[in-house]
Amino acid sequence: MNRRAFLSSTSAAAAAALAPQLSQAAPSSPARMKPAICAYSFRKELQDKSMTYEDLITKCVEWNIDGIDMTVYWFPNTSAEWLHNLRRLAYRNGVSIYSIAVRTELTKPNQADRDAEVASIARWVDVADMLGATHIRVFGGTVPKTTTEEQAVPWVVECLKRGADIAAAKGIILGLENHGGICTRADRILEMVTKVNSPWVGINLDTGNFKDHAFEQMQQCLPHAVNVQMKAEMTYDDGKTGPQDWDRVVKLIGGGGYKGYLSLEYEAKEPSAVAVPKGLAEIRKLTHKYSV
């Protein structure tokens, strides 16, 4: 699909259909962005236990980073004791555990399976609450081969509505990520988020996950963005993958009036110990450049 066709079939159509909702979500003042790190950047180290989540807090101090997005996949446990100790450590070091990132699969046809997904969200809401986090990143899920996206949309909306009610009771926001599957394209994500119609559900915008017309799709998502995860690489309109133009990305995000964290989720080839501190320093410069 060429650029003109894409814009006419998605950006313009989606904007027209969702104009009332988007206008309510759009910010009315300049951007305020802060640098953060996503624990997933050190997935290898966390998995082989050469690094702990406590070590990540220390690294935030070393690299002068304000917040951390705690991918939960390698938590040693979810006991109140461990979570509260991690929360205390972060507070004593001036680091905000503002988000956790979990796996969800909300596209399941069977009601009992969807009930289990909602129950899982409820458990992670309790974990986020114990950590003091105000945001949870969730996935939409893969569309089963026996169904269509149109059939799966109501399932995702149902789960998110129920999850939003649970999260709202603890003052926690759910961020639906553009993570492939049913969340491959911005127009579909916007459809689901606006159908949920809750101030406790927004978009976890990953700047590296859109595979075509990425900048246009990011811009579509910005009015509903509740967290941003920055990637080192992205796919450009010519289909080639290359280093992400962070200046252009942060300028775009800032131009949308976004207020919140830009969390580096590093997945490129250079060792994280080398690439992450360099990347965070660059993100910090750009947040100052394009924020109030």
Side-chain angles (χ1 to χ4, degrees), residues 133-199:
T134 314
H135 174 264
I136 301 176
R137 189 285 319 275
V138 298
F139 293 147
T142 302
V143 179
K145 293 181 179 179
T146 56
T147 63
T148 66
E149 275 195 14
E150 286 71 21
Q151 289 174 300
V153 164
W155 302 334
V156 177
V157 171
E158 172 208 327
C159 290
L160 287 175
K161 281 185 175 181
R162 294 168 63 192
D165 289 341
I166 295 165
K170 297 289 180 70
I172 292 170
I173 298 167
L174 304 180
L176 181 64
E177 184 176 325
N178 54 312
H179 186 70
I182 200 166
C183 292
T184 296
R185 303 194 65 81
D187 54 356
R188 185 66 81 188
I189 303 168
L190 286 166
E191 176 191 358
M192 294 185 291
V193 169
T194 53
K195 282 182 176 178
V196 173
N197 191 29
S198 169

Side-chain angles (χ1 to χ4, degrees), residues 35-37 42 59 62-63 65 232 246 264 266 269-286:
I37 184 171
F42 288 93
K59 288 296 183 183
E62 179 182 336
W63 298 329
I65 295 304
W246 277 355
L264 176 59
Y266 182 74
K269 293 182 179 180
E270 188 175 15
S272 297
V274 177
V276 167
K278 291 190 298 183
L280 290 171
E282 180 63 20
I283 290 172
R284 175 170 285 283
K285 290 179 184 177
L286 291 170

Side-chain angles (χ1 to χ4, degrees), residues 244-257:
Q244 190 165 123
D245 185 346
W246 277 355
D247 190 279
R248 182 178 175 184
V249 168
V250 179
K251 182 178 181 180
L252 175 71
I253 295 168

Side-chain angles (χ1 to χ4, degrees), residues 37-53 55-57 59-60 63 68-69 71 74 264-267 270-278 280:
I37 184 171
C38 183
Y40 192 78
S41 298
F42 288 93
R43 58 201 172 279
K44 294 179 181 177
E45 293 82 356
L46 290 168
Q47 190 169 21
D48 67 20
K49 303 187 187 309
S50 61
M51 176 179 279
T52 66
Y53 286 90
D55 293 334
L56 283 175
I57 299 295
K59 288 296 183 183
C60 285
W63 298 329
I68 185 164
D69 186 352
T71 317
W74 306 282
L264 176 59
E265 187 177 47
Y266 182 74
E267 295 180 330
E270 188 175 15
S272 297
V274 177
V276 167
K278 291 190 298 183
L280 290 171

